[in-house]
Amino acid sequence: MTALHETVTAATTVSDAVEETARQPYEYVRRELVEPDWRRFPGWSHITDAQWRDAQWQRVHCVKNIKQLRAVMGDLLAESFYDDLVADQERLATMSMLLPPQMLNTMAPTATGGDITKEFLADPVRRYMMPVASDRDPVWPNHPHSSRDSLHEAEMWVVEGLTHRYPTKVLAELLSTCPQYCGHCTRMDLVGNSTPSVDKHKLSLKPVDRQDQMIDYLKKTPGVRDVVVSGGDVANVPWHQLESFLMRLLDIETVRDIRLATKALAGLPQHWLQPKVVEGLERVARTAHRRGVNLAIHTHVNHAQSVTPLVAEAARTALDVGVRDVRNQGVLMRGVNATPDDLLDLCFALQGEANILPYYFYMCDMIPNAEHWRVAVWEAQALQHAIMGYLPGYATPRIICDVPYVGKRWVHQLAEYDREHGISYWTKNYRTGIEHADADALSRHYPYYDPISTLPEAGQQWWRDSGE
Ligand code: SF4
């Protein structure tokens, strides 16, 4: 090697090293939103743009079972995929299948022809909206401390469907259905149809009676200033009923914040683009504005693939008619979005392209059979660290652990952490609705559990020995 060659080689190596050092852990690239072409699926090859935009068409053509899935997918998926799906539905699923075409169309968005089974299996949206048995944790599918209603919301009902967990806020569950069912639903106890492994609880009051009782409670409880109107998904409440309930809420002087919870903004944006819904939302937003109430929509998007032009149009339409803010509360799930790149790609798509504020990512709650999705608290802390500094500060989402009997806590707020056994301990600074007479409520340490498969061997052995 000549001296010159050596020098050039050295210079190249140094410049490579500088370039490597200069590279950021996450490289932001603006990406245009794309509506995947639904015509790539044989069952929808003839569906027109007008049909696709029609909310009624979307609802009628939801995929609710394997026969309907086959009709859409034709020969694209191998039999082994259907076997895997059946095995999950028969033994493990806590939610029944319900996929609006819009939602199904965001799975394997660029797949064309042939066998797309591999892409489907690896697809992040599929992994939480259409779980299969081979997704689940083979050793610990279920944490010994997992439970139905893991947040104990029903225990804190002050009237049926109205959870009073925080001092100034309530959650109003108006109904127990959604236009789409997510495999990891935290309200799996109540929401959706029963599955072979979960017999769902039912709301017993008539909707109108339940709403009357909620309004009465709020009138006589002026300390509550913030109402999350949820379900289920408010997109399944007939519009005139929802509007009437919202107007009654707006008549209560002490209610200052109203948040409408709807994953349908992303799962079925066509619903929020219907003229009768847009006009009604405008009436509600105008009234909220006149009365100085903050009206917002909270949606639930977990992956950038789901942020399509139609979703952005639905969000902007809500803002145009006077809704103050549209925010996202995603769920952090392994295999779906639990990497810095996936979280940041999603946040930039929401914030930069759809005017949806990336607000929270919840750690997946401790419901049955969710261990393959859940991440450990230390992993969530590392992800929070990794996503800092890229987005505007106000649009940098907080990763949240919703600790049973405590409530939402930023993941760095724990009081103690036993990493070997995967048990974190948390404190709180208020009493939930069922603890007014509990002298220890504010000094107690409340446990939360990491997935056992994330523990060191000694910790896993401890759980095996504990026989729980
Ligand atoms: S939209 Fe929300 S309430 Fe409905 S199934 Fe999904 S997570 Fe559950």
Side-chain angles (χ1 to χ4, degrees):
M1 190 183 282
T2 65
L4 177 62
H5 188 195
E6 268 176 30
T7 310
V8 169
T9 308
T12 310
T13 313
V14 170
S15 88
D16 284 353
V18 169
E19 203 174 292
E20 185 58 36
T21 313
R23 200 172 293 147
Q24 299 289 4
Y26 175 82
E27 293 288 341
Y28 167 71
V29 181
R30 186 171 180 197
R31 291 193 189 92
E32 212 181 310
L33 302 184
V34 181
E35 206 70 53
D37 186 358
W38 55 88
R39 296 174 190 91
R40 75 190 182 288
F41 293 150
W44 294 334
S45 59
H46 59 292
I47 300 305
T48 63
D49 288 9
Q51 285 173 300
W52 193 261
R53 282 187 72 92
D54 180 347
Q56 198 50 28
W57 184 89
Q58 288 277 335
R59 285 194 189 258
V60 169
H61 291 86
C62 278
V63 170
K64 298 187 270 307
N65 54 49
I66 290 176
K67 188 171 167 213
Q68 292 171 342
L69 181 65
R70 283 182 188 275
V72 173
M73 302 304 291
D75 294 335
L76 294 181
L77 295 173
E79 278 309 305
S80 56
F81 179 84
Y82 293 108
D83 294 344
D84 212 356
L85 187 54
V86 171
D88 198 74
Q89 293 185 345
E90 287 180 351
R91 292 189 289 109
L92 297 158
T94 54
M95 297 298 289
S96 57
M97 186 194 261
L98 182 61
L99 289 162
Q102 172 75 24
M103 192 95 224
L104 180 52
N105 192 39
T106 63
M107 298 179 197
T110 54
T112 46
D115 178 354
I116 62 167
T117 306
K118 244 167 105 183
E119 279 169 76
F120 237 61
L121 278 172
D123 188 84
V125 180
R126 198 282 308 153
R127 284 179 63 86
Y128 82 94
M129 291 304 296
M130 198 198 299
V132 294
S134 62
D135 293 334
R136 310 262 177 186
D137 187 316
V139 182
W140 295 97
N142 199 35
H143 195 283
H145 287 277
S146 69
S147 62
R148 301 171 57 137
D149 191 14
S150 68
L151 302 179
H152 307 279
E153 289 177 331
E155 262 176 70
M156 297 176 202
W157 280 354
V158 282
V159 304
E160 186 182 78
L162 192 71
T163 302
H164 194 167
R165 182 154 67 131
Y166 302 96
T168 57
K169 309 186 264 187
V170 289
L171 166 77
E173 292 167 281
L174 293 194
L175 79 177
S176 59
T177 66
C178 307
Q180 65 284 306
Y181 289 135
C182 316
H184 64 284
C185 179
T186 201
R187 301 207 178 106
M188 46 69 67
D189 197 30
L190 179 74
V191 168
N193 305 313
S194 292
T195 68
S197 57
V198 184
D199 199 13
K200 306 275 166 152
H201 293 158
K202 297 269 176 274
L203 293 167
S204 60
L205 292 176
K206 283 199 213 131
V208 57
D209 295 337
R210 191 162 51 250
Q211 289 169 22
D212 283 350
Q213 292 190 11
M214 289 176 176
I215 296 287
D216 286 348
Y217 181 80
L218 292 169
K219 281 184 181 160
K220 61 180 197 231
T221 318
V224 173
R225 57 170 304 290
D226 179 1
V227 183
V228 177
V229 183
S230 182
D233 186 323
V234 294
N236 268 15
V237 183
W239 180 262
H240 66 279
Q241 274 182 29
L242 181 60
E243 182 169 341
S244 146
F245 182 73
L246 294 174
M247 291 301 196
R248 290 171 78 193
L249 279 184
L250 286 167
D251 275 340
I252 304 173
E253 294 261 314
T254 44
V255 171
R256 310 310 300 151
D257 270 273
I258 297 176
R259 308 186 248 171
L260 303 178
T262 175
K263 185 182 174 87
L265 193 83
L268 185 64
Q270 293 84 349
H271 170 83
W272 290 101
L273 288 166
Q274 296 173 100
K276 71 166 189 229
V277 173
V278 175
E279 286 155 21
L281 191 59
E282 184 164 23
R283 286 190 292 273
V284 175
R286 221 182 296 127
T287 307
H289 186 256
R290 209 170 43 242
R291 300 191 184 167
V293 174
N294 302 303
L295 176 72
I297 288 180
H298 280 201
T299 193
H300 167 190
V301 189
N302 296 330
H303 196 275
Q305 275 170 220
S306 298
V307 188
T308 73
L310 270 168
V311 175
E313 189 182 333
R316 290 203 182 106
T317 302
L319 295 170
D320 286 350
V321 299
V323 171
R324 174 189 154 154
D325 215 347
V326 181
R327 308 183 187 115
N328 186 52
Q329 301 190 160
V331 176
L332 182 65
M333 283 178 280
R334 193 185 305 283
V336 176
N337 56 16
T339 68
D341 283 12
D342 280 331
L343 291 179
L344 287 168
D345 285 353
L346 169 56
C347 292
F348 279 114
L350 292 166
Q351 169 75 4
E353 313 305 323
N355 297 96
I356 299 174
L357 185 80
Y359 170 46
Y360 275 167
F361 284 107
Y362 288 102
M363 293 176 68
C364 180
D365 290 320
M366 294 190 58
I367 53 149
N369 299 342
E371 294 308 280
H372 66 297
W373 284 308
R374 294 203 313 119
V375 301
V377 168
W378 61 269
E379 292 176 294
Q381 290 175 333
L383 284 166
Q384 180 75 78
H385 183 266
I387 64 173
M388 299 304 290
Y390 289 91
L391 291 142
Y394 71 90
T396 301
R398 288 174 185 158
I399 301 182
I400 299 292
C401 185
D402 206 337
V403 182
Y405 293 118
V406 174
K408 296 169 198 54
R409 285 291 174 271
W410 307 349
V411 285
H412 285 86
Q413 280 187 300
L414 44 71
E416 280 177 61
Y417 195 2
D418 171 354
R419 284 282 296 273
E420 181 164 308
H421 301 115
I423 309 175
S424 48
Y425 297 92
W426 308 72
T427 55
K428 64 180 175 181
N429 52 330
Y430 47 78
R431 291 186 168 80
T432 63
I434 54 172
E435 292 166 327
H436 293 303
D438 183 346
D440 299 327
L442 305 191
S443 54
R444 188 176 295 129
H445 280 196
Y446 297 82
Y448 184 83
Y449 302 92
D450 288 343
I452 294 171
S453 57
T454 63
L455 305 184
E457 179 46 34
Q460 297 198 26
Q461 188 59 46
W462 183 82
W463 281 100
R464 282 192 287 271
D465 293 344
S466 75
E468 287 203 65

